[in-house]
């Protein structure tokens, strides 16, 4: 496994791989790697010849300095996990390597509604930061395929839209969410939960599954308020619990017929730790 921190050697290596006709699968991450990240890498290994994982805590997607400061940074452990999972390349750049001319960026893309709702309305500028870093990383790496998790459903919609509006020759592959035994979505933030909080957090996924099972059987406002009540009673502070069109992310209203694809998304605080999760329903 090779670890690169700067551009020169990385790009030389990647272009040699390309000359050999090898395809490149790319998994962007912010580190504190867990098996959820490794499941993306496993899918990348199946679909491409060489897998590169980036580890970069991107400052421009944080709207809260405290959150950025507290974000776990565990490069040594991450490298061990990557080696164990036979990842070919780690790219772990500094902020200066990613943003040599500074962090300011004018977003050339139009994401419409997708970045205005849910995470977009609670985390100002978050998706601009995500688009900025992913487009920079795609410029550097030029992968054949980009692997991202359904765990961050709205993020995959943003990047899908970005790819449609640009000329990257990269295919986006969306991978399923890996969960703990109790249903809690794996997340780098879970290490900040107490054992008790982690154990109880299975209720988040169970509540999403319950809401999904009620689609078409009860008005959406009732499903939402019951779900919010369950999670509120567990002591969580909710940012949102939303039932939306799976493509446009427009929130559905009671009288709307169910579209082909529905996504139910939740964001909540477990103590000081903000968690997100979602579940998808598709017309059969
Ligand atoms: P992050 O390091 O949290 O920015 O995540 C990097 C990538 O891993 C994103 O595409 C996430 O959606 C994905 N990811 C995070 N957690 C999981 C999980 N539990 N299962 C599958 N993919 C995940």
């Amino acid at each position: 496994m090779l670890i690169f921190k700067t551009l020169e050697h990385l790009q030389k290596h990647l272009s040699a791989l390309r000359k050999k006709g090898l395809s490149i699968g790319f998994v962007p991450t912010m580190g504190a790697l867990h098996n959820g990240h490794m499941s993306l890498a496993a899918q990348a290994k199946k679909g491409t010849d060489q897998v590169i994982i980036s580890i970069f805590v991107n400052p421009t997607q944080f709207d809260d300095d405290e959150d950025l400061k507290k974000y776990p940074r565990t490069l040594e452990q991450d490298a061990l996990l990557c080696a164990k999972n036979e990842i070919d390349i780690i790219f772990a750049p500094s902020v200066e390597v990613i943003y040599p001319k500074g962090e300011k960026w004018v977003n050339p893309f139009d994401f419409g509604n997708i970045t205005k709702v849910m995470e977009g309305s609670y985390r100002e500028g978050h998706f601009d930061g995500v688009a900025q870093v992913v487009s920079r990383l795609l410029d550097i790496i030029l992968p054949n395929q980009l692997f991202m998790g359904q765990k961050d459903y709205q993020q995959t919609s943003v990047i899908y839209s970005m790819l449609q509006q640009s000329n990257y020759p990269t295919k986006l592959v969306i991978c399923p969410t890996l969960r703990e035994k109790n249903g809690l979505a794996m997340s780098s933030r879970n290490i900040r939960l107490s054992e008790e909080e982690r154990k109880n957090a299975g209720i988040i996924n169970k509540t999403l599954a319950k809401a999904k099972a009620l689609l078409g059987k009860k008005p959406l406002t009732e499903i939402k308020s019951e779900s919010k009540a369950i999670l509120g009673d567990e002591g969580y502070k909710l940012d949102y619990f939303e039932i939306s069109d799976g493509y446009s992310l427009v929130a559905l209203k009671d009288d709307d017929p169910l579209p082909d694809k529905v996504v139910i998304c939740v964001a909540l605080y477990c103590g000081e730790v903000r968690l997100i999760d979602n579940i998808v329903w598709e017309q059969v």
Side-chain angles (χ1 to χ4, degrees):
M1 186 178 74
L2 296 168
I3 303 181
F4 295 98
K5 295 195 169 183
T6 55
L7 296 192
E8 201 197 332
H9 295 295
L10 171 72
Q11 289 184 311
K12 227 186 212 167
H13 182 67
L14 290 176
S15 93
L17 294 176
R18 260 182 238 111
K19 272 196 197 125
K20 283 192 203 157
L22 298 175
S23 61
I24 294 165
F26 174 42
V27 181
T29 82
M30 297 207 297
L33 299 179
H34 49 70
N35 286 335
H37 296 115
M38 291 303 119
S39 71
L40 304 192
Q43 202 145 329
K45 259 181 159 323
K46 275 194 212 143
T48 54
D49 299 318
Q50 287 277 306
V51 177
I52 173 164
I53 284 198
S54 65
I55 295 176
F56 178 62
V57 182
N58 173 35
T60 70
Q61 69 187 70
F62 285 80
D63 60 343
D64 176 356
D65 282 348
E66 244 347 86
D67 196 23
L68 173 61
K69 248 192 256 160
K70 280 194 195 143
Y71 202 87
R73 289 158 171 89
T74 56
L75 185 57
E76 261 177 51
Q77 273 166 260
D78 291 351
L80 288 175
L81 188 62
C82 287
K84 202 172 128 202
N85 284 274
E86 296 175 348
I87 306 299
D88 301 295
I89 304 166
I90 293 179
F91 178 43
S94 64
V95 173
E96 291 71 29
V97 166
I98 293 295
Y99 302 125
K101 293 186 193 145
E103 294 173 17
K104 237 175 119 68
W105 186 65
V106 181
N107 177 6
F109 304 105
D110 178 7
F111 296 124
N113 177 67
I114 292 173
T115 51
K116 295 194 177 76
V117 294
M118 299 191 286
E119 291 302 285
S121 68
Y122 280 89
R123 302 181 69 189
E124 170 120 41
H126 171 64
F127 288 121
D128 276 2
V130 169
Q132 177 186 20
V133 75
V134 175
S135 67
R136 171 77 174 133
L137 289 167
L138 292 180
D139 285 337
I140 294 168
I141 294 167
L142 295 173
N144 300 80
Q145 298 193 43
L146 168 65
F147 296 83
M148 301 188 91
Q150 187 200 308
K151 155 86 174 30
D152 297 273
Y153 190 93
Q154 196 172 0
Q155 172 170 279
T156 60
S157 305
V158 172
I159 298 306
Y160 181 75
S161 169
M162 186 183 93
L163 291 174
Q164 281 199 317
Q165 293 174 59
S166 52
N167 298 315
Y168 294 112
T170 304
K171 183 182 153 214
L172 175 64
V173 181
I174 299 172
C175 308
T177 303
L178 210 74
R179 299 179 178 280
E180 311 268 2
K181 271 207 190 89
N182 68 354
L184 171 66
M186 288 185 186
S187 162
S188 308
R189 292 170 191 265
N190 291 356
I191 47 181
R192 290 172 53 206
L193 300 174
S194 70
E195 208 156 304
E196 185 77 3
E197 286 171 333
R198 209 163 167 152
K199 210 172 85 200
N200 294 338
I203 189 76
I204 302 168
N205 178 239
K206 287 193 186 79
T207 308
L208 287 166
K210 197 168 170 196
K212 174 178 167 175
L214 290 171
L215 287 176
K217 300 192 178 107
K218 264 189 182 186
L220 300 180
T221 38
E222 265 179 51
I223 300 176
K224 282 196 274 188
S225 60
E226 283 176 18
S227 307
K228 285 179 185 172
I230 294 171
L231 295 169
D233 288 347
E234 288 291 323
Y236 298 117
K237 192 181 141 290
L238 263 76
D239 269 356
Y240 57 82
F241 188 101
E242 199 52 88
I243 303 178
S244 308
D245 180 280
Y247 297 105
S248 67
L249 302 189
V250 171
L252 297 171
K253 298 197 198 74
D254 279 342
D255 321 330
D256 292 340
L258 286 179
D260 291 351
K261 192 175 182 185
V262 175
V263 63
I264 311 176
C265 297
V266 62
L268 52 75
Y269 282 89
C270 178
E272 296 215 320
V273 184
R274 189 171 186 277
L275 301 175
I276 60 170
D277 201 355
N278 65 77
I279 198 162
V280 171
W281 174 91
E282 280 181 278
Q283 204 85 247
V284 279

